[in-house]
Amino acid sequence: MQSKKQIITFAALAVVLAILPWAITGGFENGKSWLRAVDFALLYIMLALGLNIVVGFAGLLDLGYIAFYAVGAYSFALLNSPHLAAVLPAWLMHPPLLVMLLIAACVAGVFGVLLGTPTLKLRGDYLAIVTLGFGEIIRIFLNNLDRPVNITNGPQGINNISKVNIAGYDLGRPIEWFGLKFDTVHLYYYLILAFCCLIIFVTLRLQRSRIGRAWVAIREDEIAANAMGINTRNVKLLAFAMGASFGGVSGALFASFQGFVSPESFVLMESIMVLCMVVLGGMGHIPGVILGAILVSITPEVLRDVINPLQSAVFGERLFDPENLRMLIFGLAMIIIMLLRPEGLWPSKRRAREFHEHEEEAKA
Amino acid sequence: MDIFLQQLINGLVVGSIYALIALGYTMVYGIMQLINFAHGEIVMIGAMVTITCINLLIGAGVNLPGPLLLLAGLLMAIPVSMLLGYTIERVAYRPLRRAPRLAPLITAIGVSIVLQQAAMLIWGRNYRPFPQILPTTVHDFFGAAITDLQIAIVILSLVLMGGLFWLIERTKLGRAMRATAQNPDVAGLMGVNINTVISMTFIIGSSLGAVAGVMVAANYDQAHAYMGFMIGLKAFTAAVLGGIGNIGGAVVGGLLLGIIESLGSGYLGDLTGGFLGSHYKDIFAFVVLIGVLVFRPSGLLGERVAERA
Amino acid sequence: MSTPLLKIEGIHKRFGGLHALNDVALSINAGEIYGLIGPNGAGKTTLFNVLTGLYQPDEGSFTFNGKDLFRQKPYVVVESGIARTFQNIRLFANMTALENVMVGQHVRTSASVFGAVFRGPKAKAEEAAIAARAQELLDYVGIGKRKDELARNLSYGDQRRLEIARALATSPTLLALDEPAAGMNPKETDQLKALMEKIRADGVTILLIEHDVKLMMGLCDRIAVLDYGKKIAEGIPEQVKNDPRVIEAYLGVAPE
């Protein structure tokens, strides 16, 4: 089925992805922090793909998506740190990676259904604001559940989360293989990449399936979907659950990579950023969403390094706080991209066509 | 009893501020079905400009009574906010009027980020104290305390809301706004200049937002570049609570949210036997919202839109 | 007489003060083409929505194929064998014609998330069968060559046909068509008539709302007339045409 060209492209991509961390750490002065940024970009790709199922496929605007990332991260943190070790049964602590990720996915999925159940009747922006509220509720609870019983350790968050352990290898320590020294950032790069690929695969498969078509049908016309015998309630809940479970897996990997979690990582702005990745990239189009995730997560990092030399070059001195300036430029970029390409940077051919027809209608 | 009354008064004050901001959200939403995410930032800019202006006047040795200084600050902040609101609509929303629905939402978020960061660059990242220029007389009201400022906030809010109702119900512009909200295409055919109407909607909403921003800053004695976010969120919640797009709904939603929040945080500890304390205050807004929407999916005063098959 | 395929009795539906359906009863026999006519606002589409589960009736009874469908969810109704089209075409505009019909088979297929992800032999076979069946149905209604067009880009007549194909994809026993000939020219209407007869010949019972009286008289076995939410007449076309109450409902005056 696959053409030769596709296979070659695929192989080339695999090689590039395999050597990318070495090119980064070898080629740049502060390569490790760059590689860290790439690791985060991979986590964001998972998040964006998860949200894309809800927003892009099923057409349900979710502004509280980061809550599921939080749920995954805290699930991992609680089971893999000393914080609750004294209270929880020992057999539950430090589960193997795959079991842990399955737990994270399931817990997040359950939260997805919890959010979905009362809100399914709501349409459009009402749903948006309720999901936003849900996200905030989760965050506020994480922030305050340190008393009367200390579960989340409040604003301080949970520290000393152990690194992943695979087949006896502790990813927290450098490993020597074939004369190459794999640091934690390298190891996590491959780990996260593997799960990222898995999620891309799952998304692709889902898109071209009975379930994926049902999602899109609901997005296109919920009443018609209903009349075609789609159980819209269950199919929407499934979208919430699937999207949430992707978030949960990503969150668990985040917790272990970062080594600590706190409510600060799960503010509304994060939800909004993930939504921006989906929309800027090209809603519903998997390659577009991946591109969006990479751009939105990497651009601020690039700006971080570029902004001060740029300021000095333009004004001869550092006039502005670089942190604010880079976010300002980032915000401007978002506006400009949307104005120039409202359908996203890399939409599906179909969607691009649809949009340009609108444009022509508007002109006529 | 006096604690109850005190919380009720506090809630009413905060609620009238929410209502003023919610009006800005709901007007824009009613006309363009757009969540104007940047509205909270307009509120913040209104507060910041007023504080700066008052400080400049004081610094220049102008010796005026506090309320007049405040008025001078407001007279500066309102035009700035109006201009900002107008510009945002022209630049970030108008070109996208026929674009996919989420595109303007993203530019709105972009504008919000830009304004926040610009405010940080201009005013720094610290809290700006509100100048101590207002009398701090405290009146006793059946055992509860209420300040001149709080009285002024409630009265001014009511006056502004009344003015807005009058504008929408009685003037030509108001009629054009209602017509555009019903159906922009038909309104256009009937000779309504949609672009003007939309611009005016942003200008009016922004000026209300600026006044609300000053109220927030005066009430909490401070302002901050990030303040617009949470207050905007609450106000938007209030608008949805009342039924988004519905002017009366924004007022009801705002007042109700303020009161529920205030009473809730006051009594939450007692109600849950100390399990949940007042630090869960912010949850109230959202729990109430979800509760209302589950039972009335279009808000308290929103029309029930019967989906036609 | 054998039991009817579909039987409703005493159906009431109110919207606020509006009594949209008032004590409506009708029964449709297997294999017939049953017409529903009436002036605008008579409650035809409301009745349609009740019969397809989109509206919940306030009172009455509703059995289909021996199954009680009173106040059932749309997906249960579809599963039981009633499919419909819409008066104001409701296709999945940004899906292709083929995909639209594939969605129609949702209720007759079962692949879950696991099936979709692992795509085992069973899921693969089902997916292939869905695509094949969809193509077959597109050919059946005569738009097989347009399978890759987006639904929104099809001509009006083709959109109507696609809607019928999509409804047929649910493998219905009863096909309910809401003004399928609206906006069609005489030639297209004739083709549509032939299509409906073909569908009936293949064993599907048809419930039809239509304004085109000539088409209805030539096509339907029986016709019911609604006016102000009440059934005012029912019978073979010839009877209904001459019923004074029908003439009054349409013309506003009783014939002399």
Side-chain angles (χ1 to χ4, degrees):
Chain A
M1 288 272 254
Q2 261 130 351
S3 69
K4 214 170 169 185
K5 205 173 149 194
Q6 266 178 320
I7 295 172
I8 293 172
T9 319
F10 195 74
L13 192 66
V15 171
V16 169
L17 286 174
I19 56 173
L20 183 70
W22 305 101
I24 291 175
T25 46
F28 293 90
E29 201 180 328
N30 46 358
K32 269 197 187 165
S33 71
W34 279 111
L35 186 53
R36 231 181 114 72
V38 171
D39 290 358
F40 274 107
L42 289 172
L43 289 172
Y44 277 117
I45 291 176
M46 292 190 208
L47 281 179
L49 286 172
L51 183 61
N52 182 52
I53 289 186
V54 182
V55 181
F57 292 169
L60 306 162
L61 182 51
D62 183 347
L63 286 180
Y65 183 68
I66 210 70
F68 306 123
Y69 190 55
V71 167
Y74 270 84
S75 306
F76 190 96
L78 292 177
L79 297 187
N80 291 281
S81 75
H83 177 61
L84 286 187
V87 196
L88 292 174
W91 57 265
L92 198 59
M93 297 301 295
H94 301 282
L97 177 67
L98 286 178
V99 176
M100 184 60 232
L101 291 185
L102 204 61
I103 294 175
C106 289
V107 175
V110 167
F111 271 83
V113 173
L114 277 182
L115 162 68
T117 311
T119 57
L120 284 177
K121 277 189 291 182
L122 304 175
R123 277 161 207 289
D125 295 327
Y126 284 96
L127 180 66
I129 197 76
V130 168
T131 51
L132 184 155
F134 175 81
E136 283 297 288
I137 288 175
I138 297 279
R139 186 185 60 82
I140 294 171
F141 267 104
L142 292 178
N143 221 348
N144 292 298
L145 273 184
D146 50 345
R147 63 210 140 129
V149 185
N150 188 353
I151 302 171
T152 64
N153 207 23
Q156 285 87 38
I158 299 174
N159 279 304
N160 292 324
I161 301 169
S162 54
K163 290 279 184 275
V164 170
N165 200 318
I166 305 172
Y169 289 104
D170 179 359
L171 300 203
R173 296 208 184 82
I175 301 172
E176 295 262 359
W177 267 328
F178 317 115
L180 277 174
K181 189 167 156 255
F182 288 72
D183 280 317
T184 300
V185 268
H186 293 96
L187 294 167
Y188 267 88
Y189 169 83
Y190 292 111
L191 177 72
I192 300 171
L193 181 65
F195 282 98
C196 197
C197 290
L198 179 71
I199 278 182
I200 293 173
F201 174 78
V202 169
T203 316
L204 281 170
R205 280 278 167 99
L206 281 176
Q207 187 181 24
R208 289 190 199 161
S209 75
R210 169 176 176 268
I211 308 283
R213 284 190 298 270
W215 284 333
V216 176
I218 290 176
R219 180 189 77 197
E220 290 290 313
D221 188 332
E222 191 171 338
I223 287 182
N226 236 315
M228 284 306 109
I230 293 173
N231 182 339
T232 47
R233 195 182 62 109
N234 287 0
V235 171
K236 278 182 179 179
L237 277 182
L238 187 61
F240 270 117
M242 286 305 295
S245 65
F246 287 13
V249 170
S250 181
L253 290 172
F254 162 77
S256 110
F257 179 47
Q258 173 106 331
F260 94 102
V261 291
S262 76
E264 233 175 80
S265 306
F266 311 108
V267 291
L268 176 59
M269 202 59 204
E270 287 287 316
S271 287
I272 291 176
M273 280 301 144
V274 180
L275 181 68
C276 287
M277 294 169 184
V278 174
V279 179
L280 277 176
M283 238 182 15
H285 190 226
I286 295 166
V289 171
I290 295 173
L291 175 74
I294 296 172
L295 283 181
V296 173
S297 61
I298 296 282
T299 311
E301 302 303 317
V302 174
L303 285 174
R304 197 198 296 277
D305 273 28
V306 176
I307 214 84
N308 278 332
L310 194 74
Q311 275 202 72
S312 322
V314 176
F315 307 111
E317 58 179 323
R318 267 182 63 177
L319 270 185
F320 300 109
D321 184 338
E323 191 61 20
N324 295 139
L325 196 56
R326 90 188 162 99
M327 285 312 286
L328 187 116
I329 292 173
F330 177 69
L332 278 177
M334 267 168 69
I335 300 172
I336 292 167
I337 292 176
M338 272 293 109
L339 288 179
L340 296 179
R341 290 186 71 95
E343 73 275 36
L345 285 170
W346 190 0
S348 63
K349 279 188 194 127
R350 205 184 268 188
R351 212 178 130 73
R353 205 162 59 188
E354 166 200 344
F355 177 71
H356 290 291
E357 273 161 25
H358 275 304
E359 222 171 30
E360 275 147 33
E361 275 166 31
K363 273 180 200 152
Chain B
M1 186 60 203
D2 50 349
I3 294 181
F4 177 78
L5 192 62
Q6 186 68 57
Q7 297 289 3
L8 197 65
I9 289 172
N10 294 347
L12 194 66
V13 173
V14 178
S16 38
I17 302 178
Y18 286 163
L20 273 189
I21 307 172
L23 284 170
Y25 281 107
T26 225
M27 282 163 67
V28 168
Y29 191 92
I31 288 188
M32 325 173 48
Q33 282 74 51
L34 167 78
I35 304 177
N36 179 14
F37 250 95
H39 191 58
E41 267 56 59
I42 302 253
V43 172
M44 175 270 293
I45 301 255
M48 289 299 201
V49 170
T50 307
I51 292 176
T52 306
C53 194
I54 294 172
N55 284 336
L56 282 177
L57 286 174
I58 293 172
V62 178
N63 201 0
L64 283 173
L68 280 182
L69 276 175
L70 182 62
L71 190 67
L74 257 179
L75 287 180
M76 200 53 216
I78 291 176
V80 170
S81 290
M82 284 175 162
L83 186 67
L84 207 56
Y86 173 79
T87 315
I88 291 171
E89 192 273 321
R90 276 308 292 269
V91 174
Y93 303 151
R94 191 173 294 182
L96 293 175
R97 226 175 266 165
R98 305 228 167 228
R101 268 193 73 249
L102 285 182
L105 188 71
I106 303 296
T107 53
I109 293 166
V111 168
S112 181
I113 295 176
V114 168
L115 290 180
Q116 262 178 25
Q117 301 302 327
M120 283 253 192
L121 290 175
I122 298 171
W123 288 291
R125 36 179 72 237
N126 295 323
Y127 282 91
R128 310 275 297 182
F130 194 83
Q132 298 291 331
I133 52 170
L134 297 174
T136 47
T137 335
V138 178
H139 303 279
D140 182 80
F141 184 78
F142 297 109
I146 184 165
T147 63
D148 282 341
L149 176 67
Q150 288 180 312
I151 296 173
I153 287 177
V154 174
I155 291 178
L156 181 57
S157 302
L158 289 177
V159 169
L160 288 174
M161 288 173 209
L164 185 70
F165 276 115
W166 175 81
L167 183 117
I168 286 176
E169 293 298 327
R170 291 272 180 269
T171 65
K172 205 176 154 199
L173 173 66
R175 205 178 319 131
M177 284 166 74
R178 280 181 287 143
T180 310
Q182 289 278 322
N183 187 331
D185 294 331
V186 175
L189 289 176
M190 294 298 121
V192 173
N193 185 338
I194 314 255
N195 286 335
T196 313
V197 167
I198 291 178
S199 289
M200 284 311 290
T201 307
F202 272 86
I203 288 171
I204 295 167
S206 300
S207 60
L208 293 177
V211 176
V214 176
M215 290 175 175
V216 177
N219 196 37
Y220 295 106
D221 288 321
Q222 62 186 27
H224 185 259
Y226 280 152
M227 71 185 263
F229 188 72
M230 201 54 182
I231 194 108
L233 195 56
K234 295 273 184 65
F236 185 68
T237 305
V240 174
L241 186 63
I244 188 137
N246 183 315
I247 301 282
V251 175
V252 172
L255 291 175
L256 204 62
L257 190 68
I259 291 170
I260 290 172
E261 216 177 67
S262 175
L263 288 179
S265 60
Y267 287 100
L268 191 59
D270 296 344
L271 285 176
T272 59
F275 181 70
L276 301 173
S278 61
H279 42 279
Y280 283 98
K281 172 173 153 255
D282 287 341
I283 277 191
F284 260 92
F286 302 118
V287 171
V288 168
L289 177 82
I290 294 176
V292 168
L293 287 185
V294 166
F295 293 105
R296 278 198 63 98
S298 44
L300 291 173
L301 300 190
E303 287 166 37
R304 275 173 184 267
V305 188
E307 189 76 24
R308 294 206 61 119
Chain C
M1 209 171 131
S2 64
T3 45
L5 177 67
L6 176 145
K7 188 176 172 73
I8 56 167
E9 272 174 336
I11 290 286
H12 288 268
K13 178 71 190 171
R14 298 176 189 85
F15 296 105
L18 179 71
H19 205 150
L21 293 176
N22 187 352
D23 197 22
V24 177
L26 53 90
S27 59
I28 301 174
N29 299 316
E32 69 179 342
I33 297 185
Y34 189 96
L36 193 60
I37 61 173
N40 284 326
K44 303 183 297 284
T45 296
T46 306
L47 181 58
F48 238 62
N49 287 338
V50 166
L51 290 179
T52 49
L54 286 187
Y55 287 167
Q56 310 282 300
D58 299 320
E59 299 165 40
S61 70
F62 174 11
T63 51
F64 179 76
N65 225 350
K67 201 171 162 188
D68 182 12
L69 289 184
F70 184 68
R71 291 196 178 209
Q72 277 295 357
K73 299 259 184 246
Y75 61 88
V76 178
V77 173
V78 177
E79 216 176 297
S80 312
I82 302 179
R84 69 169 293 171
T85 65
F86 291 89
Q87 185 183 337
N88 46 342
I89 307 179
R90 298 190 85 126
L91 288 165
F92 306 120
N94 294 307
M95 296 175 97
T96 64
L98 192 75
E99 285 169 336
N100 266 276
V101 184
M102 288 169 90
V103 170
Q105 292 173 70
H106 185 90
V107 75
R108 300 290 167 219
T109 47
S110 62
S112 64
V113 168
F114 293 101
V117 172
F118 296 110
R119 213 170 274 180
K122 195 171 150 247
K124 227 171 181 170
E126 185 182 276
E127 189 69 14
I130 291 174
R133 171 86 179 131
Q135 181 63 53
E136 205 179 294
L137 284 166
L138 286 179
D139 291 334
Y140 184 82
V141 301
I143 52 172
K145 285 194 181 130
R146 323 217 58 189
K147 68 182 172 85
D148 291 325
E149 288 276 347
L150 294 191
R152 52 182 297 139
N153 295 337
L154 292 175
S155 72
Y156 188 78
D158 286 352
Q159 290 193 359
R160 289 262 179 225
R161 286 161 183 278
L162 178 54
E163 244 201 336
I164 294 174
R166 187 181 66 176
L168 286 175
T170 67
S171 308
T173 328
L174 175 75
L175 177 64
L177 303 172
D178 196 347
E179 298 197 23
M184 283 189 170
N185 62 34
K187 193 181 149 223
E188 285 174 320
T189 307
D190 281 345
Q191 288 171 343
L192 180 74
K193 189 178 167 203
L195 177 62
M196 285 191 275
E197 276 165 346
K198 187 163 73 167
I199 292 170
R200 190 245 299 257
D202 287 335
V204 179
T205 309
I206 292 178
L207 167 65
L208 180 64
I209 294 184
E210 197 41 79
H211 276 303
D212 187 333
V213 175
K214 198 175 130 239
L215 175 73
M216 293 294 264
M217 294 297 160
L219 190 63
C220 297
D221 301 307
R222 285 193 303 149
I223 289 177
V225 187
L226 280 187
D227 191 29
Y228 290 111
K230 285 188 170 174
K231 188 173 81 175
I232 56 170
E234 183 180 21
I236 59 167
E238 212 43 39
Q239 268 174 345
V240 167
K241 201 161 84 181
N242 298 321
D243 190 313
R245 290 204 295 174
V246 176
I247 297 167
E248 190 191 338
Y250 269 93
L251 301 178
V253 286
E256 309 208 345

